Amino acid sequence: MNWIALFVAGLLEVVWAIGLKYTAGFTRLWPSVGTALAFLSSIGLLGWAMRDLPVGTAYAVWVGIGAVGTAVVGMALLGEPVSLPRVISLGLVIAGIIGLKMSSLA
């Protein structure tokens, strides 16, 4: 259950990271409210997952999911550039996330 909470926390990190773009420096009310709620929910689930998961592993996986997810959304929906080095780099981050998950099972 902790891994599911951590995964959802990572997805919510993507939501608040992308949401920051739409807050216009927190001058737009509803995007700011949505971003803040996603942030608080993400942090809350991360904290909950860390009750039983190693701190370093949980934090790295959370950041990795957020970073990869935000980059993918940026490329897919926001017109950010897609390049081979960028895709390979994101693949390496995903490999790191998988490695951390697998190493925590031992």
Side-chain angles (χ1 to χ4, degrees):
M1 192 65 177
N2 292 316
W3 283 104
I4 293 170
L6 185 60
F7 181 74
V8 172
L11 294 178
L12 286 167
E13 184 183 7
V14 174
V15 171
W16 69 256
I18 296 296
L20 285 172
K21 183 167 183 70
Y22 296 98
T23 66
F26 292 102
T27 60
R28 297 181 62 214
L29 178 62
W30 294 115
S32 297
V33 168
T35 299
L37 288 174
F39 175 77
L40 292 172
S41 299
S42 180
I43 293 292
L45 285 170
L46 173 63
W48 189 77
M50 282 185 175
R51 292 182 309 163
D52 296 316
L53 297 175
V55 171
T57 299
Y59 183 72
V61 169
W62 178 72
V63 168
I65 292 169
V68 170
T70 302
V72 168
V73 170
M75 290 185 287
L77 302 178
L78 302 177
E80 294 180 6
V82 179
S83 67
L84 184 59
R86 193 170 195 195
V87 172
I88 290 170
S89 297
L90 290 172
L92 291 170
V93 173
I94 292 168
I97 293 168
I98 292 168
L100 286 168
K101 167 76 169 98
M102 299 307 286
S103 69
S104 72
L105 299 175

